Amino acid sequence: MEGPLQTSIHLCHENGQWMSQLPENLWDVPLYNLSLPGSHDTMTYCLDKNSAVSDNESKLVNFLNKWMPCIVHPIIMKWSTTQELNVTEQLEAGVRYLDFRIAHKANDPSMNLYFVHMLYTTVTVQDILCEVVKWLETHPQEVVILACRNFDGLTKKLHCHLIARIKEIFQCKLCPRNVVPTLRTMWQCGYQVIISYEEEILVKEHCELWPAIPYWWGNKTATRELIQYLECMKQIGRPGRFFVAGINLTENLAYILVHPFGSLKKMTLQNLAYLKIWVKQQYPGPKKECINIIAGDFIGNNDFVKDVIELNTKINPPLYCHSKGAGGNTISFSA
C-alpha cells in the first residue's frame, strides 16, 4: 500500500515552478479562480514524539496520556501525522497553500511559537517562515498562501510578535489584501506571499493580512460521506474569494477502536483512488459550483498535486463549469 510513495514524490518534483509555466491567458485570472493544491495540517511531518499533548485537546485524551503514555502517545502520533514531506519538499511538489496551526506551549516562558496537531512540532514557526522565504527567493514567480490558524495559547503580545516576524521575514513579498491577486500583478509588484490570519481584529489592523480562508472540513471517516459533504457545499455555493475544499478524512474514537493497528496514513492511502476521481471531475472558476484550493493529506502520493494543477487546463479554451445546474455559460474572469 505504501510502496509507490517515493516514485510519486519524484514525479511531483517536476511541479516546483508550475505557476510560472501557466499559459499567458491565465495570468490575469485571480488566484481564487484558479485551482491550487494545498496540504492539510502541513507541519505534522515533524511532530515531537516527546511532546506534551496540547492543552486544547480533550481532558480524556490528556488524562489517558498522563497515566498510560507508553500506550496512548504512539496512538496519538499515528493519528496526528498527516504529511511526510517537509515544507520545502511540499513546495517543490507544487503545493501552494500551507495549513499552519500555530501554538504557544503552556508554561513556556519564551516567545517561541510552534505548530500543533494534538502534539507540538520539533521546529519553530520562525524557522519555517525562513525556510519558505528561502525557497521563494529561488522561485521568484511562484506564489504561496500561508493560512495561520488556531493560535492555541497565543496572547495579544504573542500575536504582535508573530505578525512582526512575518513582516520582517517576508517584507515586500507580502501581498496586501486590497490587491486583486492575479499572477501578472503579483509578478509585476514582486508579491509572493498571501497571509491568511484567523484573528479578525488583527486583520483589520494590518493591511498585509488577509481574512481567514474558509475550509470545507467534512469531518468524515468514509470517502462516500466526505464527497457527499463537498458536493453539498458546492450546491450552497463557493465563497467569493479564496476557499479550501478539504479532501482529508478524519478519524474519531470509534474508528480508532475498530482499527487498533491502523493509522491516518493507512486510512488515507486506502481511499486515495476514490478521492482522485472526485478531484479530476472538478472545475476552477468563479461560478457557484467551482473549486479553488483543494487540500489533502500525504500529498506526495497518487499524483494528487499534479491532478489539482491540471484542472487549470480546463480554463483554456473557455471554461465551462460542468457541474449539475451550472448551465453552461462561459465563465467571465473579470475582477
Side-chain angles (χ1 to χ4, degrees):
M1 202 52 142
E2 300 172 11
L5 178 59
Q6 293 301 321
T7 301
S8 297
I9 291 172
H10 175 72
L11 293 173
C12 286
H13 188 78
E14 300 173 3
N15 299 324
Q17 303 195 68
W18 69 267
M19 285 181 155
S20 67
Q21 297 166 358
L22 287 176
E24 188 173 357
N25 69 303
L26 299 184
W27 295 358
D28 296 306
V29 177
L31 294 180
Y32 38 77
N33 290 337
L34 294 179
S35 176
L36 308 176
S39 60
H40 167 250
D41 258 314
T42 299
M43 296 304 304
T44 57
Y45 65 86
C46 61
L47 293 177
D48 185 354
K49 63 181 180 181
N50 298 315
S51 164
V53 176
S54 166
D55 285 347
N56 200 43
E57 300 304 324
S58 70
K59 292 181 179 179
L60 176 60
V61 171
N62 276 280
F63 174 82
L64 292 174
N65 187 61
K66 180 179 179 180
W67 294 105
M68 295 185 294
C70 294
I71 298 174
V72 176
H73 219 74
I75 294 174
I76 291 175
M77 280 290 292
K78 288 197 305 178
W79 292 98
S80 297
T81 302
T82 67
Q83 305 296 339
E84 291 182 321
L85 303 185
N86 65 36
V87 159
T88 297
E89 290 170 335
Q90 290 183 39
L91 292 171
E92 279 294 325
V95 166
R96 295 296 177 265
Y97 167 91
L98 302 179
D99 178 15
F100 285 167
R101 316 292 179 92
I102 296 174
H104 183 257
K105 293 180 180 179
N107 304 316
D108 183 352
S110 76
M111 300 284 281
N112 289 335
L113 298 176
Y114 295 84
F115 304 95
V116 68
H117 188 213
M118 295 191 75
L119 305 174
Y120 299 100
T121 56
T122 56
V123 299
T124 66
V125 172
Q126 180 162 315
D127 287 343
I128 293 302
L129 297 182
C130 290
E131 185 174 339
V132 171
V133 78
K134 181 179 179 181
W135 185 87
L136 288 171
E137 286 168 354
T138 60
H139 297 75
Q141 289 188 293
E142 300 303 301
V143 177
V144 298
I145 301 168
L146 308 183
C148 300
R149 309 174 61 196
N150 285 39
F151 301 126
D152 292 354
L154 264 69
T155 61
K156 179 66 181 291
K157 181 179 180 180
L158 286 168
H159 273 292
C160 292
H161 171 72
L162 172 59
I163 294 169
R165 293 290 76 74
I166 288 172
K167 291 182 179 182
E168 176 187 352
I169 291 168
F170 293 115
Q171 300 183 24
C172 60
K173 294 183 185 295
L174 291 172
C175 177
R177 66 175 174 274
N178 63 343
V179 172
V180 177
T182 67
L183 285 174
R184 191 187 303 274
T185 298
M186 302 289 280
W187 294 341
Q188 289 175 346
C189 297
Y191 301 144
Q192 287 188 273
V193 182
I194 291 173
I195 300 289
S196 161
Y197 208 82
E198 205 173 60
E199 277 291 326
E200 186 176 351
I201 294 175
L202 294 171
V203 169
K204 292 177 180 178
E205 295 177 3
H206 301 273
C207 67
E208 301 89 348
L209 303 181
W210 290 60
I213 294 177
Y215 194 109
W216 289 356
W217 177 49
N219 193 20
K220 307 294 184 183
T221 60
T223 306
R224 182 186 299 273
E225 293 178 0
L226 175 59
I227 290 174
Q228 287 174 347
Y229 163 80
L230 293 172
E231 288 298 315
C232 179
M233 295 301 291
K234 286 169 58 181
Q235 291 297 322
I236 295 171
R238 59 155 293 167
R241 285 188 152 188
F242 293 109
F243 76 103
V244 183
I247 62 165
N248 50 289
L249 294 164
T250 306
E251 81 290 348
N252 54 35
L253 181 58
Y255 188 93
I256 293 173
L257 291 175
V258 174
H259 301 82
F261 302 107
S263 67
L264 190 58
K265 182 177 180 179
K266 290 181 180 179
M267 183 184 190
T268 300
L269 297 187
Q270 288 168 357
N271 290 279
L272 277 181
Y274 304 103
L275 293 169
K276 180 185 178 75
I277 294 171
W278 183 86
V279 168
K280 291 175 76 70
Q281 292 172 343
Q282 303 314 301
Y283 286 78
K287 289 291 187 179
K288 173 182 176 181
E289 297 178 358
C290 292
I291 55 85
N292 174 213
I293 301 164
I294 302 179
D297 292 333
F298 301 100
I299 58 88
N301 290 271
N302 207 29
D303 292 330
F304 162 73
V305 175
K306 176 175 172 286
D307 290 341
V308 176
I309 294 171
E310 287 184 349
L311 294 178
N312 291 301
T313 62
K314 298 181 181 183
I315 304 175
N316 181 28
L319 168 66
Y320 295 85
C321 202
H322 286 205
S323 303
K324 183 179 178 181
N329 296 323
T330 304
I331 292 178
S332 169
F333 287 111
S334 57

